[in-house]
Amino acid sequence: MYDVAKNLHEVLRNLPDGVKLVAISKFHPNEYLEAAYREGQRIFGESQVQELSGKVETLPKDIEWHFIGHLQTNKVKYIAPYISMIEAVDSLKLLKEINKQAAKYNRVINVLLELHIAKEETKYGFSPDACREFLENGEWRELKNVHISGLMMMASNVDDRSQIKQEMTLAANLFDELKAKYFANDPEFKERSWGMSHDYDIAVECRSTMVRVGTTIFGPRVY
Ligand SMILES: *Cc1c(COP(=O)(O)O)cnc(C)c1O
């Protein structure tokens, strides 16, 4: 096993106060998560509903689980009872379904709106304009069992650090714009989730509040 404890502390040392670490544990077995948990890590991110459900059953109850993958509407019901944050909401349809399922458990589920800024075709998420339209449309205001806590994005998977920085800066600027226009009275609209193993240092420069780091802590994933 990777030296999870050592890697975890190294990442934590690189994060300024106020930047949270979501340890991305997808495709890693329970003992990896337990090793991080023993060091005090409490926020873990997973991208598959079935895998997450198995881990939730067996791992400590005070873990905060973030769902970071593309979530199909028909699977929301399985995670609604316990999920702390759904990071990658990219449609009104999905948001409505989260709201409906959260209501069944009398919960308010925190979500992030996923932005599509990267050049890659395959990534999900709202373009900046689609995100503006979504918020302007206002239907989200009726949904009392979801709370929009901020924005999430993945930068392009490239070596060009200036491109990554440009994309994250765009996301940070969009956050400011949307905050001023739609969330000025909501101090809990505050999260900027960007930065992964290869670019979380750039993300911190670009005002990330939440980095999602997997490989650097747990090693390569075995699919
Ligand atoms: C897998 C994943 C990560 C973590 O990536 P690493 O390169 O292993 O740090 C972060 N965010 C999302 C959305 C992911 O799917």
Side-chain angles (χ1 to χ4, degrees), residues 169-194:
T169 302
L170 201 155
N173 291 341
L174 185 62
F175 176 93
D176 291 342
E177 176 193 323
L178 300 176
K179 171 87 182 165
K181 200 156 179 199
Y182 301 103
F183 299 95
N185 297 318
D186 180 1
E188 295 305 311
F189 180 88
K190 62 182 182 193
E191 302 298 355
R192 296 177 290 271
S193 176
W194 38 86

Side-chain angles (χ1 to χ4, degrees), residues 44 53 72 74 100 159 166 173 198 204 217:
F44 291 85
S53 305
Q72 290 171 288
N74 63 352
K100 179 177 151 194
D159 293 328
Q166 200 177 10
N173 291 341
H198 69 284
V204 166
I217 299 169

Side-chain angles (χ1 to χ4, degrees), residues 31-63:
E31 59 258 43
Y32 283 57
L33 288 82
E34 284 160 352
Y37 183 91
R38 277 196 297 277
E39 302 301 315
Q41 182 64 27
R42 291 294 179 272
I43 311 177
F44 291 85
E46 291 280 336
S47 62
Q48 309 275 333
V49 168
Q50 210 176 358
E51 180 182 357
L52 172 56
S53 305
K55 286 175 174 171
V56 166
E57 263 179 42
T58 46
L59 288 163
K61 297 301 167 213
D62 61 343
I63 289 179

Side-chain angles (χ1 to χ4, degrees), residues 13-205:
R13 260 200 309 281
N14 293 331
L15 298 180
D17 282 350
V19 179
K20 279 179 285 224
L21 172 63
V22 183
I24 304 300
S25 48
K26 61 188 186 195
F27 298 99
H28 291 296
N30 280 358
E31 59 258 43
Y32 283 57
L33 288 82
E34 284 160 352
Y37 183 91
R38 277 196 297 277
E39 302 301 315
Q41 182 64 27
R42 291 294 179 272
I43 311 177
F44 291 85
E46 291 280 336
S47 62
Q48 309 275 333
V49 168
Q50 210 176 358
E51 180 182 357
L52 172 56
S53 305
K55 286 175 174 171
V56 166
E57 263 179 42
T58 46
L59 288 163
K61 297 301 167 213
D62 61 343
I63 289 179
E64 283 178 43
W65 296 101
H66 285 210
F67 196 84
I68 59 157
H70 180 67
L71 181 57
Q72 290 171 288
T73 47
N74 63 352
K75 297 202 171 153
V76 174
K77 57 179 177 284
Y78 301 116
I79 64 173
Y82 61 82
I83 200 77
S84 285
M85 183 172 273
I86 297 177
E87 290 212 17
V89 171
D90 62 357
S91 71
L92 181 60
K93 179 171 170 242
L94 176 59
L95 192 66
K96 282 181 168 170
E97 179 63 16
I98 297 169
N99 184 67
K100 179 177 151 194
Q101 298 300 332
K104 290 187 184 166
Y105 300 96
N106 248 320
R107 301 189 64 213
V108 176
I109 295 181
N110 288 315
V111 306
L112 304 178
L113 300 179
E114 180 178 13
L115 295 176
H116 180 146
I117 290 173
K119 298 289 182 290
E120 280 117 74
E121 294 279 329
T122 56
K123 291 193 174 146
Y124 295 99
F126 291 106
S127 69
D129 273 341
C131 192
R132 290 183 181 103
E133 278 166 35
F134 170 85
L135 290 170
E136 184 61 30
N137 164 285
E139 260 194 88
W140 57 276
R141 292 185 195 276
E142 324 273 293
L143 308 174
K144 301 301 179 201
N145 293 83
V146 288
H147 174 257
I148 300 174
S149 304
L151 304 179
M152 176 269 202
M153 62 85 82
M154 256 191 281
S156 294
N157 187 15
V158 293
D159 293 328
D160 180 357
R161 294 171 62 85
S162 71
Q163 184 183 340
I164 294 172
K165 188 161 185 174
Q166 200 177 10
E167 292 175 0
M168 290 175 173
T169 302
L170 201 155
N173 291 341
L174 185 62
F175 176 93
D176 291 342
E177 176 193 323
L178 300 176
K179 171 87 182 165
K181 200 156 179 199
Y182 301 103
F183 299 95
N185 297 318
D186 180 1
E188 295 305 311
F189 180 88
K190 62 182 182 193
E191 302 298 355
R192 296 177 290 271
S193 176
W194 38 86
M196 303 162 52
S197 287
H198 69 284
D199 61 12
Y200 77 88
D201 58 324
I202 308 174
V204 166
E205 284 177 37

